[in-house]
Amino acid sequence: MKIAVDQNIKGAESTFGHHGELSFLEGRAIRNEHLRDTDVLIVRTATAVNETLLRGTPVRFVGSTSIGIDHIDTDWLEHQGVAWANAPGCNADGTAQYTLAIAWLACERLGRPLSDLTAGVIGRGNVGSRVQALFRALGMRVVANDPPLADAGEPDLVSLDDALAQDVVCLHVPLTREGRYPTFRFIGRRELARMGPNSLLINASRGDVVDGDALLGEVRAGRLHAALDVWPGEPRIDPDLRRATTVATPHVAGYSDDGKYEGTRMVYRAFCAAAGLKPQPMAMPTQSPELQIHPGQDPIACALEASCFVQRHDEAMRALAPLDAAERAAGFDRLRRDYPSRRDFAAWQVHCSDSGPARTLARMGFRVLAS
């Protein structure tokens, strides 16, 4: 069995490697001619999987180690009898934690303590529900909007306008173009106009859920602020929009080691089920990083910077500015490819002697030890 794997996928050797010959490819560069003798294709969001990619190939299983499926033509796969799987919720903890770190840094730069603000979470699924819990751990008032969940009878949800009226608005929705609640560019001029003056929009879902031109106009006018991890038109993002943002990172919110390995594990188990194979044990990350909070330091800021290092990647994004469009796009992909090891909060041991912040860090999910 021949298995083609995006080169950035963690844990492929210890899972899929038991069942066939692996070939590693650059995800955005995978083409039909690379798959002429391939039985299994394992990708991330960088690869559009559709008839153009797979026509005439022997591929019978497609797995995406990401939570979304907007890059996969599932209707075509099913019509062709090709089994597929994705990994919903695999990186929900990492994405939510990174979102909190983005919000913290953006508000720090804007001179507005995050814990003093209100938040509206749009999309209270695997990620949004965790973001809501993390904001509440800081003592913030948080509301959530999610029409599909409201239709299913989920309580304690608010209208879109109510969510947009908060100081900080976070987007955690899938990218959909059809159905009752399509999200393609659903945050446009009307929705942005509903946001309050000097409010902050954070997007860590999919770039095209926001109308980039409309957002740029609002930010340039000084009415809104934006902190973006995802961008319309990735990897060729609008340099003007990047310059206008308060925080800019290269679509890495879900890039914790824990989330990456879990995504591989979920797709691997689906592959084994489809192929009638027995799954092999998968080694997961085991390192437990430590952080010492010293007197005079801000414990929350220190913990977020150590565990998520948002500022480092914001600086790396802005360093792409002098390059031409093609070089900037390659640089964007390079930042994603070379992203350093990052563990979720639960893996960290934080030494903190200040009891108040220590309790907050524990509510956020860190393992807090008295120093």
Side-chain angles (χ1 to χ4, degrees):
M1 184 182 301
K2 294 192 175 182
I3 305 172
V5 183
D6 183 305
Q7 64 187 11
N8 291 324
I9 287 175
K10 299 282 190 181
E13 297 93 337
S14 65
T15 51
F16 295 97
H18 289 290
H19 308 289
E21 176 187 342
L22 303 185
S23 61
F24 291 93
L25 303 170
E26 198 281 304
R28 214 178 291 279
I30 298 175
R31 298 292 182 266
N32 179 274
E33 56 266 28
H34 301 145
L35 306 176
R36 297 289 169 79
D37 62 349
T38 297
D39 304 294
V40 175
L41 174 63
I42 309 300
V43 299
R44 303 175 305 123
T45 57
T47 305
V49 181
N50 49 34
E51 181 180 3
T52 300
L53 183 68
L54 296 185
R55 185 194 308 115
T57 72
V59 171
R60 305 320 298 163
F61 180 89
V62 171
S64 177
T65 61
S66 59
I67 61 176
I69 57 172
D70 50 281
H71 58 300
I72 302 176
D73 187 342
T74 57
D75 290 339
W76 187 85
L77 292 182
E78 290 169 6
H79 188 262
Q80 299 299 312
V82 178
W84 64 273
N86 65 319
C90 66
N91 60 1
D93 282 329
T95 303
Q97 292 161 9
Y98 197 86
T99 299
L100 174 62
I102 289 174
W104 186 277
L105 178 60
C107 289
E108 191 175 71
R109 289 177 171 178
L110 295 171
R112 306 175 69 192
L114 178 61
S115 57
D116 292 347
L117 305 180
T118 63
V121 174
I122 299 175
R124 196 173 70 180
N126 284 316
V127 176
S129 59
R130 287 166 168 81
V131 170
Q132 188 171 25
L134 287 169
F135 281 158
R136 285 177 170 166
L138 295 179
M140 298 172 65
R141 176 182 174 272
V142 190
V143 299
N145 163 262
D146 195 312
L149 284 183
D151 289 349
E154 187 80 12
D156 303 322
L157 295 166
V158 303
S159 70
L160 178 60
D161 282 354
D162 284 343
L164 290 169
Q166 307 309 311
D167 300 317
V168 178
V169 177
C170 293
L171 306 179
H172 299 290
V173 298
L175 179 61
T176 59
R177 296 171 184 262
E178 300 176 349
R180 187 174 179 186
Y181 302 109
T183 61
F184 177 71
R185 294 185 183 174
F186 90 113
I187 300 296
R189 298 187 189 282
R190 176 203 172 276
E191 290 72 27
L192 295 170
R194 293 294 193 274
M195 294 179 63
N198 293 315
S199 54
L200 172 68
L201 179 71
I202 299 174
N203 190 8
S205 57
R206 289 290 187 267
D208 283 323
V209 304
V210 176
D211 181 330
D213 290 339
L215 178 60
L216 177 58
E218 293 291 319
V219 174
R220 276 181 162 174
R223 211 183 70 77
L224 301 178
H225 306 283
L228 304 179
D229 179 60
V230 294
W231 306 79
E234 293 178 16
R236 290 180 174 268
I237 65 176
D238 182 346
D240 292 329
L241 182 58
R242 188 197 66 249
R243 281 191 292 269
T245 56
T246 303
V247 175
T249 56
H251 197 156
V252 292
Y255 269 32
S256 73
D257 291 358
D258 306 80
K260 288 181 178 180
Y261 277 93
E262 178 61 12
T264 302
R265 188 191 69 82
M266 292 172 69
V267 169
Y268 170 63
R269 293 182 70 85
F271 158 73
C272 288
L277 300 170
K278 181 179 180 180
Q280 299 298 308
M282 178 182 179
M284 300 293 278
T286 58
Q287 73 271 27
S288 183
E290 292 193 44
L291 174 65
Q292 177 70 54
I293 306 293
H294 299 288
Q297 292 182 314
D298 182 327
I300 308 301
C302 286
L304 291 175
E305 176 56 26
S307 60
C308 295
F309 38 84
V310 173
Q311 182 165 323
R312 185 193 318 176
H313 278 79
D314 174 80
E315 292 170 354
M317 278 282 285
R318 297 182 194 282
L320 300 176
L323 306 178
D324 65 30
E327 291 172 328
R328 285 196 303 269
F332 183 90
D333 279 342
R334 185 172 59 252
L335 291 175
R336 301 185 75 199
R337 182 195 69 205
D338 298 339
Y339 192 74
S341 176
R342 179 179 120 219
R343 295 299 310 277
D344 288 349
F345 290 175
W348 281 80
Q349 297 185 71
V350 180
H351 300 265
C352 180
S353 59
D354 192 332
S355 60
R359 287 192 295 271
T360 300
L361 289 168
R363 289 195 299 270
M364 291 164 58
F366 290 98
R367 288 187 286 163
V368 182
L369 308 174
S371 57

